[in-house]
Amino acid sequence: MTYPRSLFLVLSLKIRQKRKESLFFHTFHISLPTSIPSFIPFFISSILIYPPTQHLLSSSHILGLCFGMPTKSILRTTVLSFFAGLLLSSQHPPATEALPSVPFLRHSTRAEQASEVSSQVVFSSGHHPSQHTFPQQQSTDDYFASQVGHDKPDELLTLRHVLHHGGNRYPSLYRRLDVDPFDLLLTEILTGEPSTHRIKVKTTTTLKPKEDPSLPRIRRQGFRSLTTEDTSLGPESWTKELIDAPDITDKGTVVQLAKMNYNSYTQVASPGWYDLEGGTVNSTFGWEEDGVRGHVFSSPDNSTLIIAIKGTALALIGGGGGTAPKDKLNDNLLFSCCCAKVDRTWKSVCGCNRGGYQCDQTCVEDSVNSDDVYYNVAMTILWTVQDMYPGAKVWLTGHSLGGGLTALLGLTFGVPTVTFEAPGDRLAAQRLHLPMPPAINWDDFPLYHLGHTADPVFQGICTGPRSSCYLTGFAMESKCHTGRTCVYDTVGEDKWRVDIRSHRLLDVIEGVVKVKDVPVCKQEVGCEDCKIWEFL
């Protein structure tokens, strides 16, 4: 079988297309010199299926398969493509049609949050209201034990939106890209990989603040709203609830979640980005290099959503990308002992070091909680998705830095969260005053960290002058995780060497989660961060 030359040219340009150029520009200039007749059905069907005022070819990428056909097949291809387009349009309506008219929430400062009165919907993570009550003869613990682990119908999720919120450079920037279903269909044909992700679901428990969830401060800050300098979280502050969550004991589900995270690193080259209500940055060069990006996957009825937060763009491990400097700053703030003051040769990213291995505790807590840190920026994406789909179940996933961010968000709001190769997040969680044992039991939280023993970032051993992290300026010193960790023993069982390259998500997918059974997830016991530091 001979593949048409023009098809490969168009597909190559589709992958490489620049941010401000449409696919039509590339198709027109490549198809005419190579096969003028074969461009006709592609062009005609585009106009027939959608009005010319729409993105002309976004609905007809699939028709690229007709390139290079003999002239006698053009009419047949046009007719078939037209009806295929109508069928696909009915099955995959444009994403914006299903959305209520809601703004993309701006990332507010803490002062603005404190004075804000919100009337927006309450955050949901799949709560079962009918399961709050339980028979009198059963104790609470017995009741929950009898309900946890029940199989629920599988969820089929497809990429629906990409949300980008600016950080400290463009704090007022917020944009959304709605993914065209025809792009997904073309991807399926080219890669042989389905664009729909099947996730198995089980019932589990979570903890939620006991106070009225409609209160603005509870909605905005979750568990963090219950803690001050004079108070701390205790059993009287929360209530246990039954929710649906991804079944992380199922290998196929873990693989699909990992692939969602892999997609979050993909640079979306599309002219379809648009500013949402309140946006002040329209065409500023370099906006893609600042802030947090989340890929939103939804079920067909929009009742279940998964947000995959992009991780660290680090060229050393195959990531690269324009956000690398900002990613490094956040890594060094969240996952170092004292703002990346590793030794005398390092420049601190905050002014909290008090000489030697002494650190100002209040100072470092304020630094982690500053308005331009990714934790607060990513929280805005979570609020936005919540308001786009009121009442939907929202789950989180992330890799590396994205895993650390989603773990902190999941802990803040009691949302089911699955991370891959995330650095230790417990240190940052403590500094943000999030719930911790002994006030809570990690087994009550749907928070899971998957990683393997050859990854020095996940293991918390990417330290010392000879380490890759040290040489590239990453102070990845924390090693203790919240929730439960699910550790693949690639060193002991598979004889892997500890290597920063094994942190790459593609290696994790192909060499670990696809070939090994999911390990038992357990709480970390006896883990301690920053032993040599004194916090004042």
Side-chain angles (χ1 to χ4, degrees), residues 337-344 346 348-367 532-536:
C337 292
C338 190
C339 300
K341 187 62 176 178
V342 176
D343 57 36
R344 293 180 181 179
W346 283 60
S348 175
V349 294
C350 70
C352 302
N353 182 253
R354 295 297 176 258
Y357 290 102
Q358 292 185 327
C359 189
D360 186 323
Q361 178 71 18
T362 302
C363 174
V364 77
E365 288 178 1
D366 290 341
S367 297
I532 65 174
W533 282 86
E534 180 184 2
F535 293 93
L536 307 175

Side-chain angles (χ1 to χ4, degrees), residues 31 37 48 93 146 168 226 245 253 258 277 350 388 435 444 473-474 495:
S31 297
L48 290 174
S146 67
N168 59 348
L226 307 181
T253 295
E277 184 174 336
C350 70
M388 288 166 62
D444 294 330
F474 282 82
K495 308 306 178 185

Side-chain angles (χ1 to χ4, degrees), residues 39-61:
F39 179 70
I40 297 173
F42 195 85
F43 182 82
I44 294 176
S45 298
S46 300
I47 299 177
L48 290 174
I49 297 173
Y50 281 123
T53 55
Q54 303 271 344
H55 176 40
L56 186 60
L57 299 183
S58 63
S59 63
S60 304
H61 297 335

